[in-house]
Amino acid sequence: MTKIFAIDPGTVKCGYAVMEGDKLLERGFVEQPAGDDSMDRCSVITQQLFYNISFHQPDKVICEYPHKGGPGMKSKSITILFHFCGMVHSLMNHIAVPIEFVEPIIWKGNQPKSAHHPKVLQKCRNKYGVDITNDTEDTIEAVGLGMWYSKSIS
């Protein structure tokens, strides 16, 4: 069985999920207060994720590729997300864990979150027997990405 560590990157909160076969081993998010310097925040979030990745020793890391987001998304946020992805990629190379970046349109299509999230919640209940209704949006996205990848390799 392949152990997957899925990441939904963010500039303040970053969701993650760890799954192996029919088990959702862990899910959650790491965050830094929005008032901190953006690049410092990105570094701290990356370090926290690196700790979790090192602890779980996944076979593969899957990360949502940054996208332009909605109309309110600032170019600085996109720059920070690309910087974050570069840092995660570099760390995964350092510890020899393969990483794959997936565009949102590939794994969830053009659906708005209001249509996409109920599907992820239902699939998580059905597959893992876990209710993630009260989890953060970032965590739900990471679980959805991980479930999509698990299905794509089986």
Side-chain angles (χ1 to χ4, degrees):
M1 282 185 270
T2 303
K3 187 186 282 187
I4 299 162
F5 193 101
I7 302 171
D8 177 55
T11 57
V12 176
K13 260 185 211 171
C14 182
Y16 70 91
V18 185
M19 42 218 26
E20 185 173 26
D22 289 335
K23 291 188 172 92
L24 178 60
L25 303 175
E26 185 177 328
R27 68 195 192 277
F29 63 92
V30 294
E31 73 177 317
Q32 279 298 106
D36 293 351
D37 176 77
S38 300
M39 288 302 180
D40 288 345
R41 209 170 46 235
C42 180
S43 294
V44 171
I45 288 172
T46 304
Q47 289 170 7
Q48 291 172 342
L49 278 176
F50 183 67
Y51 171 79
N52 287 339
I53 290 166
S54 298
F55 176 78
H56 285 287
Q57 299 182 341
D59 299 306
K60 184 128 188 191
V61 171
I62 306 299
C63 185
E64 185 176 85
Y65 193 72
H67 55 95
K68 66 177 184 168
M73 184 69 120
K74 297 177 182 172
S75 61
K76 183 177 180 184
S77 294
I78 295 295
T79 302
I80 292 166
L81 289 174
F82 276 110
H83 179 72
F84 167 82
C85 288
M87 289 171 56
V88 171
H89 187 267
S90 177
L91 288 170
M92 293 310 95
N93 283 338
H94 179 71
I95 61 171
V97 173
I99 184 168
E100 184 175 333
F101 293 92
V102 180
E103 292 186 50
I105 195 139
I106 300 297
W107 77 271
K108 63 182 172 184
N110 266 334
Q111 302 174 56
K113 288 179 182 170
S114 59
H116 172 69
H117 279 190
K119 292 177 184 178
V120 172
L121 298 173
Q122 185 62 44
K123 286 179 183 177
C124 189
R125 268 193 295 273
N126 292 345
K127 182 170 184 169
Y128 301 117
V130 176
D131 183 6
I132 60 172
T133 306
N134 295 320
D135 286 14
T136 67
E137 185 175 292
D138 307 276
T139 303
I140 293 169
E141 290 287 295
V143 170
L145 175 61
M147 286 191 306
W148 169 84
Y149 186 77
S150 293
K151 183 178 178 186
S152 76
I153 63 170
S154 58

mmCIF file with all atom_site columns, all heavy atoms in Angstrom, residues 21-42:
data_model
loop_
_atom_site.group_PDB
_atom_site.id
_atom_site.type_symbol
_atom_site.label_atom_id
_atom_site.label_alt_id
_atom_site.label_comp_id
_atom_site.label_asym_id
_atom_site.label_entity_id
_atom_site.label_seq_id
_atom_site.pdbx_PDB_ins_code
_atom_site.Cartn_x
_atom_site.Cartn_y
_atom_site.Cartn_z
_atom_site.occupancy
_atom_site.B_iso_or_equiv
_atom_site.pdbx_formal_charge
_atom_site.auth_seq_id
_atom_site.auth_comp_id
_atom_site.auth_asym_id
_atom_site.auth_atom_id
_atom_site.pdbx_PDB_model_num
ATOM 1   N N   . GLY A 1 21 ? -3.948  3.148  1.985  1.00 0.00 ? 21 GLY A N   1
ATOM 2   C CA  . GLY A 1 21 ? -5.007  2.185  1.699  1.00 0.00 ? 21 GLY A CA  1
ATOM 3   C C   . GLY A 1 21 ? -6.367  2.714  2.107  1.00 0.00 ? 21 GLY A C   1
ATOM 4   O O   . GLY A 1 21 ? -6.772  3.792  1.689  1.00 0.00 ? 21 GLY A O   1
ATOM 5   N N   . ASP A 1 22 ? -7.049  1.971  2.960  1.00 0.00 ? 22 ASP A N   1
ATOM 6   C CA  . ASP A 1 22 ? -8.385  2.371  3.417  1.00 0.00 ? 22 ASP A CA  1
ATOM 7   C C   . ASP A 1 22 ? -8.352  3.116  4.743  1.00 0.00 ? 22 ASP A C   1
ATOM 8   O O   . ASP A 1 22 ? -9.353  3.162  5.445  1.00 0.00 ? 22 ASP A O   1
ATOM 9   C CB  . ASP A 1 22 ? -9.281  1.127  3.561  1.00 0.00 ? 22 ASP A CB  1
ATOM 10  C CG  . ASP A 1 22 ? -9.636  0.546  2.208  1.00 0.00 ? 22 ASP A CG  1
ATOM 11  O OD1 . ASP A 1 22 ? -9.615  1.307  1.219  1.00 0.00 ? 22 ASP A OD1 1
ATOM 12  O OD2 . ASP A 1 22 ? -9.927  -0.648 2.144  1.00 0.00 ? 22 ASP A OD2 1
ATOM 13  N N   . LYS A 1 23 ? -7.210  3.693  5.081  1.00 0.00 ? 23 LYS A N   1
ATOM 14  C CA  . LYS A 1 23 ? -7.097  4.391  6.362  1.00 0.00 ? 23 LYS A CA  1
ATOM 15  C C   . LYS A 1 23 ? -6.706  5.858  6.154  1.00 0.00 ? 23 LYS A C   1
ATOM 16  O O   . LYS A 1 23 ? -5.763  6.156  5.422  1.00 0.00 ? 23 LYS A O   1
ATOM 17  C CB  . LYS A 1 23 ? -6.048  3.717  7.234  1.00 0.00 ? 23 LYS A CB  1
ATOM 18  C CG  . LYS A 1 23 ? -6.459  2.348  7.711  1.00 0.00 ? 23 LYS A CG  1
ATOM 19  C CD  . LYS A 1 23 ? -5.452  1.829  8.718  1.00 0.00 ? 23 LYS A CD  1
ATOM 20  C CE  . LYS A 1 23 ? -5.941  0.560  9.345  1.00 0.00 ? 23 LYS A CE  1
ATOM 21  N NZ  . LYS A 1 23 ? -5.530  -0.629 8.693  1.00 0.00 ? 23 LYS A NZ  1
ATOM 22  N N   . LEU A 1 24 ? -7.433  6.727  6.809  1.00 0.00 ? 24 LEU A N   1
ATOM 23  C CA  . LEU A 1 24 ? -7.068  8.131  6.915  1.00 0.00 ? 24 LEU A CA  1
ATOM 24  C C   . LEU A 1 24 ? -6.305  8.227  8.234  1.00 0.00 ? 24 LEU A C   1
ATOM 25  O O   . LEU A 1 24 ? -6.885  8.180  9.309  1.00 0.00 ? 24 LEU A O   1
ATOM 26  C CB  . LEU A 1 24 ? -8.319  9.021  6.923  1.00 0.00 ? 24 LEU A CB  1
ATOM 27  C CG  . LEU A 1 24 ? -8.106  10.519 7.086  1.00 0.00 ? 24 LEU A CG  1
ATOM 28  C CD1 . LEU A 1 24 ? -7.238  11.073 5.956  1.00 0.00 ? 24 LEU A CD1 1
ATOM 29  C CD2 . LEU A 1 24 ? -9.451  11.233 7.103  1.00 0.00 ? 24 LEU A CD2 1
ATOM 30  N N   . LEU A 1 25 ? -4.982  8.298  8.145  1.00 0.00 ? 25 LEU A N   1
ATOM 31  C CA  . LEU A 1 25 ? -4.137  8.217  9.335  1.00 0.00 ? 25 LEU A CA  1
ATOM 32  C C   . LEU A 1 25 ? -4.121  9.510  10.145 1.00 0.00 ? 25 LEU A C   1
ATOM 33  O O   . LEU A 1 25 ? -4.062  9.478  11.372 1.00 0.00 ? 25 LEU A O   1
ATOM 34  C CB  . LEU A 1 25 ? -2.702  7.847  8.942  1.00 0.00 ? 25 LEU A CB  1
ATOM 35  C CG  . LEU A 1 25 ? -2.546  6.549  8.152  1.00 0.00 ? 25 LEU A CG  1
ATOM 36  C CD1 . LEU A 1 25 ? -1.104  6.359  7.717  1.00 0.00 ? 25 LEU A CD1 1
ATOM 37  C CD2 . LEU A 1 25 ? -3.017  5.363  8.994  1.00 0.00 ? 25 LEU A CD2 1
ATOM 38  N N   . GLU A 1 26 ? -4.125  10.628 9.437  1.00 0.00 ? 26 GLU A N   1
ATOM 39  C CA  . GLU A 1 26 ? -4.098  11.924 10.124 1.00 0.00 ? 26 GLU A CA  1
ATOM 40  C C   . GLU A 1 26 ? -4.545  12.994 9.143  1.00 0.00 ? 26 GLU A C   1
ATOM 41  O O   . GLU A 1 26 ? -4.372  12.863 7.941  1.00 0.00 ? 26 GLU A O   1
ATOM 42  C CB  . GLU A 1 26 ? -2.677  12.238 10.606 1.00 0.00 ? 26 GLU A CB  1
ATOM 43  C CG  . GLU A 1 26 ? -2.576  13.508 11.431 1.00 0.00 ? 26 GLU A CG  1
ATOM 44  C CD  . GLU A 1 26 ? -1.170  13.770 11.958 1.00 0.00 ? 26 GLU A CD  1
ATOM 45  O OE1 . GLU A 1 26 ? -0.435  12.802 12.231 1.00 0.00 ? 26 GLU A OE1 1
ATOM 46  O OE2 . GLU A 1 26 ? -0.824  14.953 12.082 1.00 0.00 ? 26 GLU A OE2 1
ATOM 47  N N   . ARG A 1 27 ? -5.107  14.033 9.685  1.00 0.00 ? 27 ARG A N   1
ATOM 48  C CA  . ARG A 1 27 ? -5.478  15.197 8.877  1.00 0.00 ? 27 ARG A CA  1
ATOM 49  C C   . ARG A 1 27 ? -5.392  16.406 9.775  1.00 0.00 ? 27 ARG A C   1
ATOM 50  O O   . ARG A 1 27 ? -5.485  16.296 10.999 1.00 0.00 ? 27 ARG A O   1
ATOM 51  C CB  . ARG A 1 27 ? -6.880  15.045 8.305  1.00 0.00 ? 27 ARG A CB  1
ATOM 52  C CG  . ARG A 1 27 ? -7.949  15.104 9.390  1.00 0.00 ? 27 ARG A CG  1
ATOM 53  C CD  . ARG A 1 27 ? -9.280  14.592 8.878  1.00 0.00 ? 27 ARG A CD  1
ATOM 54  N NE  . ARG A 1 27 ? -10.351 14.887 9.796  1.00 0.00 ? 27 ARG A NE  1
ATOM 55  C CZ  . ARG A 1 27 ? -10.665 14.176 10.867 1.00 0.00 ? 27 ARG A CZ  1
ATOM 56  N NH1 . ARG A 1 27 ? -9.952  13.108 11.198 1.00 0.00 ? 27 ARG A NH1 1
ATOM 57  N NH2 . ARG A 1 27 ? -11.686 14.521 11.629 1.00 0.00 ? 27 ARG A NH2 1
ATOM 58  N N   . GLY A 1 28 ? -5.192  17.541 9.182  1.00 0.00 ? 28 GLY A N   1
ATOM 59  C CA  . GLY A 1 28 ? -5.103  18.749 9.977  1.00 0.00 ? 28 GLY A CA  1
ATOM 60  C C   . GLY A 1 28 ? -4.592  19.906 9.156  1.00 0.00 ? 28 GLY A C   1
ATOM 61  O O   . GLY A 1 28 ? -4.635  19.891 7.930  1.00 0.00 ? 28 GLY A O   1
ATOM 62  N N   . PHE A 1 29 ? -4.086  20.898 9.853  1.00 0.00 ? 29 PHE A N   1
ATOM 63  C CA  . PHE A 1 29 ? -3.532  22.062 9.172  1.00 0.00 ? 29 PHE A CA  1
ATOM 64  C C   . PHE A 1 29 ? -2.444  22.673 10.034 1.00 0.00 ? 29 PHE A C   1
ATOM 65  O O   . PHE A 1 29 ? -2.389  22.448 11.243 1.00 0.00 ? 29 PHE A O   1
ATOM 66  C CB  . PHE A 1 29 ? -4.625  23.098 8.870  1.00 0.00 ? 29 PHE A CB  1
ATOM 67  C CG  . PHE A 1 29 ? -5.270  23.672 10.095 1.00 0.00 ? 29 PHE A CG  1
ATOM 68  C CD1 . PHE A 1 29 ? -4.785  24.839 10.670 1.00 0.00 ? 29 PHE A CD1 1
ATOM 69  C CD2 . PHE A 1 29 ? -6.361  23.048 10.690 1.00 0.00 ? 29 PHE A CD2 1
ATOM 70  C CE1 . PHE A 1 29 ? -5.374  25.366 11.812 1.00 0.00 ? 29 PHE A CE1 1
ATOM 71  C CE2 . PHE A 1 29 ? -6.965  23.569 11.829 1.00 0.00 ? 29 PHE A CE2 1
ATOM 72  C CZ  . PHE A 1 29 ? -6.467  24.733 12.392 1.00 0.00 ? 29 PHE A CZ  1
ATOM 73  N N   . VAL A 1 30 ? -1.568  23.388 9.394  1.00 0.00 ? 30 VAL A N   1
ATOM 74  C CA  . VAL A 1 30 ? -0.580  24.194 10.097 1.00 0.00 ? 30 VAL A CA  1
ATOM 75  C C   . VAL A 1 30 ? -0.843  25.637 9.700  1.00 0.00 ? 30 VAL A C   1
ATOM 76  O O   . VAL A 1 30 ? -1.293  25.906 8.585  1.00 0.00 ? 30 VAL A O   1
ATOM 77  C CB  . VAL A 1 30 ? 0.876   23.769 9.769  1.00 0.00 ? 30 VAL A CB  1
ATOM 78  C CG1 . VAL A 1 30 ? 1.158   22.387 10.289 1.00 0.00 ? 30 VAL A CG1 1
ATOM 79  C CG2 . VAL A 1 30 ? 1.153   23.839 8.285  1.00 0.00 ? 30 VAL A CG2 1
ATOM 80  N N   . GLU A 1 31 ? -0.604  26.540 10.630 1.00 0.00 ? 31 GLU A N   1
ATOM 81  C CA  . GLU A 1 31 ? -0.874  27.933 10.313 1.00 0.00 ? 31 GLU A CA  1
ATOM 82  C C   . GLU A 1 31 ? 0.073   28.847 11.059 1.00 0.00 ? 31 GLU A C   1
ATOM 83  O O   . GLU A 1 31 ? 0.664   28.472 12.063 1.00 0.00 ? 31 GLU A O   1
ATOM 84  C CB  . GLU A 1 31 ? -2.316  28.307 10.619 1.00 0.00 ? 31 GLU A CB  1
ATOM 85  C CG  . GLU A 1 31 ? -2.655  28.436 12.086 1.00 0.00 ? 31 GLU A CG  1
ATOM 86  C CD  . GLU A 1 31 ? -4.091  28.879 12.318 1.00 0.00 ? 31 GLU A CD  1
ATOM 87  O OE1 . GLU A 1 31 ? -4.567  29.782 11.620 1.00 0.00 ? 31 GLU A OE1 1
ATOM 88  O OE2 . GLU A 1 31 ? -4.725  28.317 13.209 1.00 0.00 ? 31 GLU A OE2 1
ATOM 89  N N   . GLN A 1 32 ? 0.177   30.034 10.539 1.00 0.00 ? 32 GLN A N   1
ATOM 90  C CA  . GLN A 1 32 ? 0.906   31.123 11.152 1.00 0.00 ? 32 GLN A CA  1
ATOM 91  C C   . GLN A 1 32 ? 0.002   32.343 11.113 1.00 0.00 ? 32 GLN A C   1
ATOM 92  O O   . GLN A 1 32 ? -0.718  32.535 10.121 1.00 0.00 ? 32 GLN A O   1
ATOM 93  C CB  . GLN A 1 32 ? 2.189   31.424 10.394 1.00 0.00 ? 32 GLN A CB  1
ATOM 94  C CG  . GLN A 1 32 ? 3.346   30.511 10.724 1.00 0.00 ? 32 GLN A CG  1
ATOM 95  C CD  . GLN A 1 32 ? 3.755   30.613 12.172 1.00 0.00 ? 32 GLN A CD  1
ATOM 96  O OE1 . GLN A 1 32 ? 3.481   29.722 12.959 1.00 0.00 ? 32 GLN A OE1 1
ATOM 97  N NE2 . GLN A 1 32 ? 4.403   31.688 12.547 1.00 0.00 ? 32 GLN A NE2 1
ATOM 98  N N   . PRO A 1 33 ? 0.015   33.169 12.129 1.00 0.00 ? 33 PRO A N   1
ATOM 99  C CA  . PRO A 1 33 ? -0.847  34.351 12.127 1.00 0.00 ? 33 PRO A CA  1
ATOM 100 C C   . PRO A 1 33 ? -0.601  35.241 10.908 1.00 0.00 ? 33 PRO A C   1
ATOM 101 O O   . PRO A 1 33 ? 0.537   35.402 10.461 1.00 0.00 ? 33 PRO A O   1
ATOM 102 C CB  . PRO A 1 33 ? -0.455  35.081 13.417 1.00 0.00 ? 33 PRO A CB  1
ATOM 103 C CG  . PRO A 1 33 ? 0.161   34.035 14.278 1.00 0.00 ? 33 PRO A CG  1
ATOM 104 C CD  . PRO A 1 33 ? 0.791   33.044 13.343 1.00 0.00 ? 33 PRO A CD  1
ATOM 105 N N   . ALA A 1 34 ? -1.663  35.789 10.380 1.00 0.00 ? 34 ALA A N   1
ATOM 106 C CA  . ALA A 1 34 ? -1.592  36.606 9.164  1.00 0.00 ? 34 ALA A CA  1
ATOM 107 C C   . ALA A 1 34 ? -0.739  37.855 9.339  1.00 0.00 ? 34 ALA A C   1
ATOM 108 O O   . ALA A 1 34 ? -0.237  38.398 8.375  1.00 0.00 ? 34 ALA A O   1
ATOM 109 C CB  . ALA A 1 34 ? -2.996  36.989 8.712  1.00 0.00 ? 34 ALA A CB  1
ATOM 110 N N   . GLY A 1 35 ? -0.540  38.322 10.556 1.00 0.00 ? 35 GLY A N   1
ATOM 111 C CA  . GLY A 1 35 ? 0.218   39.544 10.775 1.00 0.00 ? 35 GLY A CA  1
ATOM 112 C C   . GLY A 1 35 ? 1.719   39.389 10.564 1.00 0.00 ? 35 GLY A C   1
ATOM 113 O O   . GLY A 1 35 ? 2.421   40.360 10.356 1.00 0.00 ? 35 GLY A O   1
ATOM 114 N N   . ASP A 1 36 ? 2.224   38.166 10.598 1.00 0.00 ? 36 ASP A N   1
ATOM 115 C CA  . ASP A 1 36 ? 3.658   37.942 10.421 1.00 0.00 ? 36 ASP A CA  1
ATOM 116 C C   . ASP A 1 36 ? 4.068   38.228 8.979  1.00 0.00 ? 36 ASP A C   1
ATOM 117 O O   . ASP A 1 36 ? 3.244   38.228 8.079  1.00 0.00 ? 36 ASP A O   1
ATOM 118 C CB  . ASP A 1 36 ? 4.018   36.484 10.759 1.00 0.00 ? 36 ASP A CB  1
ATOM 119 C CG  . ASP A 1 36 ? 3.841   36.165 12.228 1.00 0.00 ? 36 ASP A CG  1
ATOM 120 O OD1 . ASP A 1 36 ? 3.616   37.098 13.017 1.00 0.00 ? 36 ASP A OD1 1
ATOM 121 O OD2 . ASP A 1 36 ? 3.907   34.971 12.577 1.00 0.00 ? 36 ASP A OD2 1
ATOM 122 N N   . ASP A 1 37 ? 5.375   38.423 8.764  1.00 0.00 ? 37 ASP A N   1
ATOM 123 C CA  . ASP A 1 37 ? 5.899   38.616 7.422  1.00 0.00 ? 37 ASP A CA  1
ATOM 124 C C   . ASP A 1 37 ? 5.569   37.390 6.562  1.00 0.00 ? 37 ASP A C   1
ATOM 125 O O   . ASP A 1 37 ? 5.715   36.253 7.009  1.00 0.00 ? 37 ASP A O   1
ATOM 126 C CB  . ASP A 1 37 ? 7.418   38.811 7.490  1.00 0.00 ? 37 ASP A CB  1
ATOM 127 C CG  . ASP A 1 37 ? 8.028   38.922 6.112  1.00 0.00 ? 37 ASP A CG  1
ATOM 128 O OD1 . ASP A 1 37 ? 7.901   40.000 5.495  1.00 0.00 ? 37 ASP A OD1 1
ATOM 129 O OD2 . ASP A 1 37 ? 8.606   37.916 5.660  1.00 0.00 ? 37 ASP A OD2 1
ATOM 130 N N   . SER A 1 38 ? 5.137   37.631 5.351  1.00 0.00 ? 38 SER A N   1
ATOM 131 C CA  . SER A 1 38 ? 4.666   36.550 4.467  1.00 0.00 ? 38 SER A CA  1
ATOM 132 C C   . SER A 1 38 ? 5.701   35.461 4.235  1.00 0.00 ? 38 SER A C   1
ATOM 133 O O   . SER A 1 38 ? 5.392   34.278 4.300  1.00 0.00 ? 38 SER A O   1
ATOM 134 C CB  . SER A 1 38 ? 4.238   37.129 3.121  1.00 0.00 ? 38 SER A CB  1
ATOM 135 O OG  . SER A 1 38 ? 3.206   38.049 3.299  1.00 0.00 ? 38 SER A OG  1
ATOM 136 N N   . MET A 1 39 ? 6.931   35.832 3.949  1.00 0.00 ? 39 MET A N   1
ATOM 137 C CA  . MET A 1 39 ? 7.964   34.832 3.672  1.00 0.00 ? 39 MET A CA  1
ATOM 138 C C   . MET A 1 39 ? 8.344   34.075 4.952  1.00 0.00 ? 39 MET A C   1
ATOM 139 O O   . MET A 1 39 ? 8.607   32.887 4.915  1.00 0.00 ? 39 MET A O   1
ATOM 140 C CB  . MET A 1 39 ? 9.197   35.470 3.034  1.00 0.00 ? 39 MET A CB  1
ATOM 141 C CG  . MET A 1 39 ? 8.957   35.885 1.606  1.00 0.00 ? 39 MET A CG  1
ATOM 142 S SD  . MET A 1 39 ? 8.431   34.483 0.574  1.00 0.00 ? 39 MET A SD  1
ATOM 143 C CE  . MET A 1 39 ? 8.254   35.312 -0.974 1.00 0.00 ? 39 MET A CE  1
ATOM 144 N N   . ASP A 1 40 ? 8.370   34.771 6.084  1.00 0.00 ? 40 ASP A N   1
ATOM 145 C CA  . ASP A 1 40 ? 8.628   34.087 7.352  1.00 0.00 ? 40 ASP A CA  1
ATOM 146 C C   . ASP A 1 40 ? 7.524   33.075 7.644  1.00 0.00 ? 40 ASP A C   1
ATOM 147 O O   . ASP A 1 40 ? 7.788   31.957 8.076  1.00 0.00 ? 40 ASP A O   1
ATOM 148 C CB  . ASP A 1 40 ? 8.711   35.087 8.513  1.00 0.00 ? 40 ASP A CB  1
ATOM 149 C CG  . ASP A 1 40 ? 9.983   35.912 8.486  1.00 0.00 ? 40 ASP A CG  1
ATOM 150 O OD1 . ASP A 1 40 ? 10.921  35.532 7.764  1.00 0.00 ? 40 ASP A OD1 1
ATOM 151 O OD2 . ASP A 1 40 ? 10.026  36.942 9.190  1.00 0.00 ? 40 ASP A OD2 1
ATOM 152 N N   . ARG A 1 41 ? 6.288   33.479 7.400  1.00 0.00 ? 41 ARG A N   1
ATOM 153 C CA  . ARG A 1 41 ? 5.133   32.604 7.613  1.00 0.00 ? 41 ARG A CA  1
ATOM 154 C C   . ARG A 1 41 ? 5.271   31.361 6.744  1.00 0.00 ? 41 ARG A C   1
ATOM 155 O O   . ARG A 1 41 ? 5.080   30.234 7.193  1.00 0.00 ? 41 ARG A O   1
ATOM 156 C CB  . ARG A 1 41 ? 3.863   33.387 7.247  1.00 0.00 ? 41 ARG A CB  1
ATOM 157 C CG  . ARG A 1 41 ? 2.662   32.978 7.985  1.00 0.00 ? 41 ARG A CG  1
ATOM 158 C CD  . ARG A 1 41 ? 1.479   33.892 7.794  1.00 0.00 ? 41 ARG A CD  1
ATOM 159 N NE  . ARG A 1 41 ? 1.207   34.273 6.435  1.00 0.00 ? 41 ARG A NE  1
ATOM 160 C CZ  . ARG A 1 41 ? 1.103   35.535 6.009  1.00 0.00 ? 41 ARG A CZ  1
ATOM 161 N NH1 . ARG A 1 41 ? 1.256   36.532 6.829  1.00 0.00 ? 41 ARG A NH1 1
ATOM 162 N NH2 . ARG A 1 41 ? 0.832   35.798 4.762  1.00 0.00 ? 41 ARG A NH2 1
ATOM 163 N N   . CYS A 1 42 ? 5.641   31.571 5.497  1.00 0.00 ? 42 CYS A N   1
ATOM 164 C CA  . CYS A 1 42 ? 5.820   30.469 4.552  1.00 0.00 ? 42 CYS A CA  1
ATOM 165 C C   . CYS A 1 42 ? 6.904   29.510 5.050  1.00 0.00 ? 42 CYS A C   1
ATOM 166 O O   . CYS A 1 42 ? 6.735   28.296 5.001  1.00 0.00 ? 42 CYS A O   1
ATOM 167 C CB  . CYS A 1 42 ? 6.184   31.055 3.190  1.00 0.00 ? 42 CYS A CB  1
ATOM 168 S SG  . CYS A 1 42 ? 6.432   29.863 1.890  1.00 0.00 ? 42 CYS A SG  1
#
